[in-house]
Amino acid sequence: MTPTVEEGLVDGRQWSDLELEAEIVALQAAIQSWAETKDLWFDCGFKAYLDHVEGEPHDPPVVTLLICGGDLSTVLDGEDPEGNEPSFRELLEQRGYFYENINGYSMAIYPEGEALASAFARYFHWRWVCSLITEDTADVYQELYDHFARRPNDLNRLHWRDFETLLYRIFQNQGFTAELGPGTADNGVDLRLWQRDPIGDILTIVQAKRYAVGNKIDLTNVAALYGIGIAEGAAKSMFVTTSSYLPVARRFAARFPNSIELAERKDVVDWCARATEGIVADKSTLVSTEAVGRIISEVANRRDPRVLHASFGHNVIMNNFALVIKETKHAALLMGLGNHTVSDDGYGQRGAEIPLFQPSTISRLKGDLVWRAKRKSDDGRVSYWDGSNLYYPWSGEPETFDLYD
C-alpha cells in the first residue's frame, strides 16, 4: 500500500497513512507504559481489528484492540481494588480516545473526536477494501468496485499485482472468461480475456500499468503490446493504465482501431461504477430459489458440510445455524437457519438444539437472512467468518445452549 495524504482532515490538516499508523503506535506505547508502571503488563498485547476479526471496519472505527490477560483484564473487567481503571480511562481521554470492554479480555479503543474518527474510518476502510482484492471473490463483494468508483485516486495506492487482480474481477463482471497471468515472466500479457462465440472464441490480451498520473505511457509500450497481440493471434490487444498516454502512442493506436485499445483511469472508474450497478445489494437474488431448494432437500436432517454452526455469547452460550448456498475459494453466501430445541430444562433457558428444516425454510431466502462470509481452509478444515461469528460445518449432533448469566 502506497502512503497518501488523502485520508482525512483533522485539526485543519490532512493525515497521511503513515501519520495515522504512527498515531496508533504512539497510542499503544502510552497504554503499555501506563500498564507497566502499574505492574499490570503481563500477557498483554495489541492487535489490528481487521487482523483480529477479518471483517468490515467498525463504526466508530476501532483504532486498536488491547488484548489483555492477567491483572489488567481483571482491572478492566470490573474488579479493581486498587482503583486503576479511572486512570486508564483518563489516559485515553487525554489522548482523545475511549475504550469498550468487548468480552473481558479484548478492549476496543475508539477515537473520541468526530474529525479523527473520520480520518481513521477512511484509513481502515481502505485496509478493508485491500483485503477484498483476491483472485477469487466472485460477485459477493460490492464494496470492492464501489470504493474505486467513488475514490479513483485510490487506484494509485494499489500494489501493481492488486491492480491486475482488480481488472481481472472487473472483466469477469463484464461477462468475459478471464485468466490472470502469473504476475512475473508473463511475456507482456497480464490478462487474457475470451468472448465465447459459436464460431470460435475471441481472445483479447491485456497489459496493465499502475502508473502515477504524470507518468504517461509512451509509444514503445503500446507498439510492443501490439506486436505481442499479433504473435499471440489475439483479435485485440488492450492497454490499461491508471495514468494516460503520450500523443504519439495515441496516434499509433488510432492507426489500428480494431486491433488495439487504450484505456486509462477514467475508463477503469467507469467500469467500477458499472460493476457496482450490476451487483444487487440483496444478496438473496444471487442464487435462484430452485437451486437453494435443492440444497435444502439434500442436507435436511443429515450431516452435511454445507450446514454450518457457530456458538457465541459472553457468560452465556447461544447458537447460530446457517446454510452455504453459494461459495468460491475465498468467499461464500450464507442463509440463516432457524433453531429447533430438542431438549431443555423446562424453562427454555438451558438445553440442546439443532438447525430447523421444514417446508417453509426456503422462505428465509430473502434480505438480511442472506449474507456474505470469508471462507478459509486450514489443513483441510473449512471455516466461514462473517465479521461477527465463526462458522464451521455442523457436527450433526445437538448443540448446547445456556441462557443463564
Side-chain angles (χ1 to χ4, degrees):
M1 180 177 66
T2 304
T4 183
V5 294
E6 299 176 10
E7 294 309 309
L9 190 66
V10 182
D11 298 330
R13 67 185 181 90
Q14 297 283 346
W15 281 55
S16 69
D17 287 349
L18 291 179
E19 289 172 324
L20 290 170
E21 289 164 2
E23 173 68 10
I24 295 172
V25 171
L27 173 63
Q28 293 173 338
I31 293 173
Q32 182 173 343
S33 176
W34 173 87
E36 288 175 342
T37 62
K38 304 290 185 180
D39 199 24
L40 296 173
W41 193 256
F42 175 74
D43 196 21
C44 298
F46 298 98
K47 198 165 187 180
Y49 180 82
L50 177 60
D51 295 339
H52 187 64
V53 306
E54 296 185 359
E56 297 178 56
H58 194 277
D59 182 22
V62 178
V63 175
T64 188
L65 280 171
L66 169 61
I67 311 299
C68 54
D71 293 338
L72 182 56
S73 65
T74 301
V75 167
L76 300 182
D77 199 31
E79 298 181 25
D80 185 22
E82 303 296 326
N84 287 313
E85 193 278 339
S87 68
F88 175 73
R89 194 177 341 110
E90 182 180 358
L91 166 75
L92 295 181
E93 289 175 355
Q94 289 174 348
R95 300 187 67 92
Y97 298 90
F98 68 96
Y99 85 98
E100 177 186 15
N101 186 338
I102 303 299
N103 53 20
Y105 58 85
S106 300
M107 311 295 157
I109 312 295
Y110 304 101
E112 186 75 53
E114 182 177 341
L116 187 58
S118 177
F120 273 119
R122 288 175 59 86
Y123 169 71
F124 288 120
H125 185 268
W126 169 249
R127 293 280 307 277
W128 159 248
V129 167
C130 287
S131 76
L132 300 182
I133 303 177
T134 65
E135 294 182 16
D136 182 19
T137 52
D139 50 4
V140 178
Y141 293 111
Q142 181 178 3
E143 293 88 345
L144 186 60
Y145 306 119
D146 183 58
H147 180 94
F148 294 108
R150 292 183 294 106
R151 300 176 184 174
N153 289 340
D154 281 352
L155 288 168
N156 285 100
R157 300 171 66 193
L158 289 172
H159 184 272
W160 62 266
R161 182 58 170 175
D162 287 341
F163 179 58
E164 293 177 1
T165 304
L166 174 65
L167 293 177
Y168 169 65
R169 302 312 305 174
I170 288 173
F171 289 128
Q172 284 188 322
N173 180 276
Q174 292 178 358
F176 288 97
T177 297
E179 177 184 280
L180 181 64
T184 57
D186 54 17
N187 297 318
V189 180
D190 297 316
L191 297 103
R192 288 177 171 82
L193 313 176
W194 287 273
Q195 289 174 286
R196 301 306 183 188
D197 189 274
I199 63 173
D201 296 341
I202 301 172
L203 170 65
T204 298
I205 63 169
V206 180
Q207 185 170 119
K209 292 292 185 186
R210 191 226 53 183
Y211 279 3
V213 174
N215 188 9
K216 297 185 177 183
I217 304 298
D218 60 19
L219 172 61
T220 303
N221 286 285
V222 174
L225 181 63
Y226 174 74
I228 294 170
I230 293 175
E232 291 257 346
K236 178 179 283 190
S237 300
M238 180 186 295
F239 210 113
V240 185
T241 182
T242 53
S243 62
S244 58
Y245 302 87
L246 291 173
V248 65
R250 292 188 184 278
R251 288 195 297 270
F252 177 86
R255 293 169 54 193
F256 310 99
N258 297 321
S259 300
I260 188 163
E261 179 180 347
L262 304 184
E264 53 193 65
R265 172 194 295 260
K266 63 181 180 61
D267 297 299
V268 179
V269 172
D270 289 344
W271 295 340
C272 286
R274 290 202 299 270
T276 300
E277 294 167 1
I279 297 178
V280 182
D282 183 354
K283 304 301 182 186
S284 68
T285 62
L286 297 174
V287 186
S288 71
T289 302
E290 293 75 15
V292 176
R294 285 195 299 271
I295 295 173
I296 292 172
S297 64
E298 291 168 0
V299 306
N301 302 316
R302 63 175 65 93
R303 181 176 178 177
D304 189 287
R306 290 172 290 182
V307 181
L308 308 180
H309 167 254
S311 61
F312 64 100
H314 182 42
N315 296 330
V316 298
I317 301 173
M318 293 181 281
N319 299 295
N320 278 346
F321 295 99
L323 182 67
V324 178
I325 58 175
K326 183 176 184 179
E327 66 180 327
T328 64
K329 182 179 179 182
H330 296 287
L333 289 180
L334 308 184
M335 184 182 80
L337 297 173
N339 297 22
H340 173 63
T341 301
V342 294
S343 64
D344 66 22
D345 58 357
Y347 301 97
Q349 297 295 298
R350 181 179 291 149
E353 54 194 0
I354 61 175
L356 177 62
F357 287 101
Q358 55 188 18
S360 63
T361 297
I362 189 64
S363 68
R364 301 179 70 85
L365 184 66
K366 62 183 180 181
D368 292 342
L369 292 178
V370 177
W371 66 96
R372 65 168 178 264
K374 282 191 174 182
R375 181 185 186 275
K376 276 191 174 181
S377 179
D378 294 318
D379 296 327
R381 190 184 191 199
V382 178
S383 62
Y384 303 83
W385 172 249
D386 65 5
S388 299
N389 292 291
L390 181 62
Y391 289 85
Y392 290 99
W394 178 47
S395 67
E397 299 296 326
E399 301 290 346
T400 299
F401 70 88
D402 189 342
L403 306 182
Y404 289 104
D405 189 348

